[in-house]
Each structure stands twice: as structure tokens, then as C-alpha cells.
């Protein structure tokens, strides 16, 4: 009977919905409510209703928030852009037969499979100005040593380099999978028409895999905007606040200054930034699908 079948179907769906509500919906709603209060864990007072006061302070009276937002945008924008460009180039290079292709693809998974905290410790030692291998290499070829993570001007490029090294293979594997699934007729037709390899890639291959490229960019942007462990382990937001991203600023407000109400408001702002950024990419992806069709 249709009614009975519907009830049986809901019996399978409801446990998953309950888990989703407990693990996702409730924390978001609770954080949104807390963002409207003033509550310091260092005080014995109960949370006080503050309305939009925290959001007003964020937008009008908190210079460190705007600095952290700028750092987050710079780190995420440059890192994700570099990873997408290099990932597509690497995928195009791998999308051809050559010896030990399977081994190369397996080795590409190593940076992605590594624990971020452990990799951050390795890179911190490599960046060390005194005994790091990177400065040793620069000195050995006659170049001056760099301050890397210890210089206000060089810390963000150093962190971006670390992120690009780890996550470019992730983008490359996603795009490579899409390239391997492409139909061969359009590619062969372009070659017969006399198109060069670059023209075939730019006018045929890239438009067809653009939805996959955007999907990889969305996944990386979500992760880059909330990067915490690598930056915390290597710099803790320093020197000064040169590498303090929005996530690290939220951490300071919550677990160093114990301003849980204000930190909750910052979390909601971060969620809005992530959702807004990815909505733009999703719209671009839908446009890419339409063009590909």
C-alpha cells in the first residue's frame, strides 16, 4: 500500500535526519543565539541579551576583525587560485600514457593523505632560519637566506606555498578524473581541423571539464577559509598578527579572552563569508554546465 510504503521509507530517513539535526542544525542555531548575547567564561554572570551589539562592534569597532578578514581573503584567494591553475596543468600533463603513470598518481596522494598537523611540523622545521633545509639550499646556490615564517612580509607567502604543495594534487586528481571521462570525438575533430595541442586544451578540453574545476575550487575554498591547524602550529597568527586569519581570531576570542558571545558572532560572520563565496562559485558552475551542454 502507498501509505504503508511511505511510512517505511520515513522510518529509514528519520534516523539520518535526527543525527543531522543533532550534529549540524542544533550547533548552528545555538551559536546563532549565543551571538546575540554577552557572555564571558571568566565571569560568574549568566549570558546577557545584547541583540545585534556584537555584530555592530564587529563591523564598526573592531579593526582586528577587518585585518583578520583581509588576511583570510588573501591567503584563501591566492592559495586556491594557484592550486586550481597548477592542478589543471598537472592534470593535463598526466592525461596521457607514460611509464609508471599509476605510481605517479599514487605518489600524488601522499601530501593529501598526510596529517595536516604533522605536515605543518615538517614545514616549520624546513622554514627554520637557522637550520631549515630551505635556507641551506638558498645559501648553497649563492642566494641570501630568508626569514620565511618569521618575517611579516614573507609569512603569508610561506604559508600559501605550504598549502599549495599539499592540496594541488587534490585538485589535479579531480580534474584528471574528469578529463579521462571526456568523449574523444570533439578532441579528434579539433585535431583533424588543425588545432594545436594548446588550442585543443583551451577551446575543447577546458570548457568541458570546467564544472569539475569549479567543484574542486569550491571544496578547496571551503577548506582554505577555515584553515586552522597548519597556521596555528607554524605561526599561531604571528609574527604579531601578520598571519592571523579569521579562524585564529575566533580562537583567540573564545579560548584566550573567553568572550564566547562575541566569538559566536564572529563564527556566524565566517559562515556567511563561506556561504557567500561558494554561492558565487556554484552559480559559475551552473553556467559552466549550461555551456558544456
Amino acid at each position: 500500500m502507498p501509505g504503508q510504503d511511505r511510512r517505511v521509507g520515513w522510518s529509514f530517513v528519520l534516523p539520518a535526519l535526527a543525527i543531522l539535526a543533532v550534529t549540524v542544525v542544533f550547533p548552528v542555531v545555538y551559536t546563532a543565539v549565543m551571538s546575540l548575547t554577552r557572555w564571558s567564561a571568566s565571569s560568574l554572570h549568566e549570558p546577557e541579551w545584547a541583540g545585534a551589539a556584537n555584530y555592530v562592534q564587529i563591523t564598526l569597532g573592531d579593526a582586528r576583525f577587518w585585518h583578520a578578514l583581509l588576511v583570510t581573503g588573501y591567503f584563501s584567494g591566492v592559495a586556491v587560485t594557484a592550486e586550481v591553475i597548477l592542478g589543471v596543468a598537472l592534470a593535463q600533463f598526466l592525461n596521457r600514457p607514460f611509464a609508471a603513470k599509476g605510481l605517479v598518481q599514487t605518489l600524488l596522494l601522499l601530501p593529501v593523505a598526510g596529517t595536516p598537523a604533522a605536515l605543518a611540523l615538517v614545514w616549520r622545521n624546513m622554514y627554520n632560519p637557522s637550520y631549515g633545509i630551505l635556507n641551506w639550499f638558498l645559501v648553497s646556490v649563492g642566494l641570501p637566506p630568508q626569514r620565511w615564517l618569521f618575517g611579516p612580509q614573507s609569512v603569508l607567502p610561506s604559508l600559501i606555498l605550504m598549502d599549495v604543495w599539499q592540496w594541488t594534487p587534490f585538485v589535479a586528481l579531480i580534474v584528471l578524473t574528469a578529463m579521462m571521462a571526456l568523449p574523444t570525438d570533439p578532441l579528434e575533430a579539433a585535431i583533424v581541423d588543425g588545432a594545436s595541442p594548446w588550442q585543443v586544451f583551451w577551446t575543447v578540453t577546458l570548457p568541458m571539464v570546467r564544472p569539475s574545476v569549479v567543484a574542486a575550487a569550491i571544496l578547496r575554498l571551503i577548506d582554505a577559509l577555515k584553515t586552522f591547524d597548519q597556521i596555528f602550529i607554524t605561526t599561531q597568527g604571528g609574527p604579531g598578527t601578520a598571519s592571523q586569519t579569521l579562524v585564529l581570531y575566533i580562537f583567540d576570542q573564545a579560548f584566550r579572552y573567553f568572550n564566547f558571545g562575541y566569538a559566536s558572532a564572529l563564527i556566524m560572520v565566517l559562515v556567511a563569508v563561506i556561504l557567500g563565496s561558494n554561492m558565487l562559485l556554484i552559480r559559475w558552475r551552473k553556467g559552466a554546465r549550461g555551456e558544456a551542454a
Side-chain angles (χ1 to χ4, degrees):
M1 297 176 62
Q4 185 176 0
D5 293 341
R6 189 178 297 110
R7 286 193 295 270
V8 172
W10 276 109
S11 67
F12 287 103
V13 174
L14 285 177
L17 292 177
I19 295 174
L20 182 65
V22 171
T23 59
V24 178
V25 177
F26 174 75
V28 172
V29 173
Y30 181 79
T31 303
V33 173
M34 289 302 303
S35 70
L36 302 175
T37 66
R38 288 192 182 94
W39 180 32
S40 174
S42 60
S43 173
L44 298 178
H45 298 289
E46 295 288 334
E48 298 178 358
W49 184 258
N54 288 329
Y55 294 98
V56 173
Q57 181 179 350
I58 289 173
T59 54
L60 300 180
D62 192 348
R64 287 187 62 184
F65 161 76
W66 291 107
H67 171 75
L69 185 63
L70 181 64
V71 171
T72 303
Y74 176 77
F75 171 81
S76 304
V78 176
V80 173
T81 301
E83 289 159 12
V84 169
I85 294 174
L86 295 176
V88 171
L90 182 58
Q92 176 67 10
F93 172 77
L94 294 174
N95 190 30
R96 57 186 181 86
F98 60 89
K101 180 177 179 179
L103 176 61
V104 172
Q105 294 178 2
T106 303
L107 293 176
L108 285 176
L109 291 173
L110 294 180
V112 181
T115 304
L119 294 176
L121 290 173
V122 173
W123 276 89
R124 187 176 69 178
N125 289 328
M126 291 172 58
Y127 278 138
N128 189 283
S130 300
Y131 57 80
I133 191 173
L134 294 181
N135 271 352
W136 173 86
F137 175 77
L138 292 178
V139 172
S140 65
V141 297
L143 296 175
Q146 302 297 318
R147 297 183 66 186
W148 303 110
L149 300 174
F150 298 89
Q153 304 300 323
S154 60
V155 60
L156 282 178
S158 301
L159 292 171
I160 289 171
L161 176 61
M162 179 176 64
D163 196 78
V164 169
W165 170 84
Q166 182 177 6
W167 293 108
T168 295
F170 173 79
V171 177
L173 291 174
I174 291 178
V175 178
L176 177 61
T177 302
M179 287 182 175
M180 294 173 64
L182 291 179
T184 58
D185 292 345
L187 303 176
E188 294 172 353
I191 295 174
V192 170
D193 290 340
S196 65
W198 169 253
Q199 290 173 328
V200 172
F201 167 75
W202 187 255
T203 61
V204 181
T205 303
L206 187 57
M208 296 176 70
V209 301
R210 201 175 84 174
S212 297
V213 174
V214 176
I218 291 173
L219 294 174
R220 282 301 308 130
L221 183 60
I222 293 173
D223 196 50
L225 287 171
K226 58 185 182 66
T227 299
F228 174 78
D229 40 8
Q230 298 97 319
I231 301 177
F232 183 80
I233 290 173
T234 52
T235 68
Q236 294 191 10
T241 58
S243 63
Q244 186 180 61
T245 61
L246 188 52
V247 175
L248 267 71
Y249 183 47
I250 293 172
F251 176 86
D252 284 349
Q253 288 293 330
F255 301 109
R256 289 184 177 175
Y257 309 135
F258 302 110
N259 296 324
F260 289 147
Y262 192 67
S264 298
L266 290 170
I267 291 174
M268 299 309 299
V269 172
L270 176 62
V271 170
V273 170
I274 294 175
L275 290 178
S277 302
N278 285 283
M279 283 178 64
L280 294 176
L281 287 175
I282 289 171
R283 290 186 63 182
W284 186 36
R285 187 186 184 192
K286 290 181 179 178
R289 284 179 171 176
E291 293 177 7

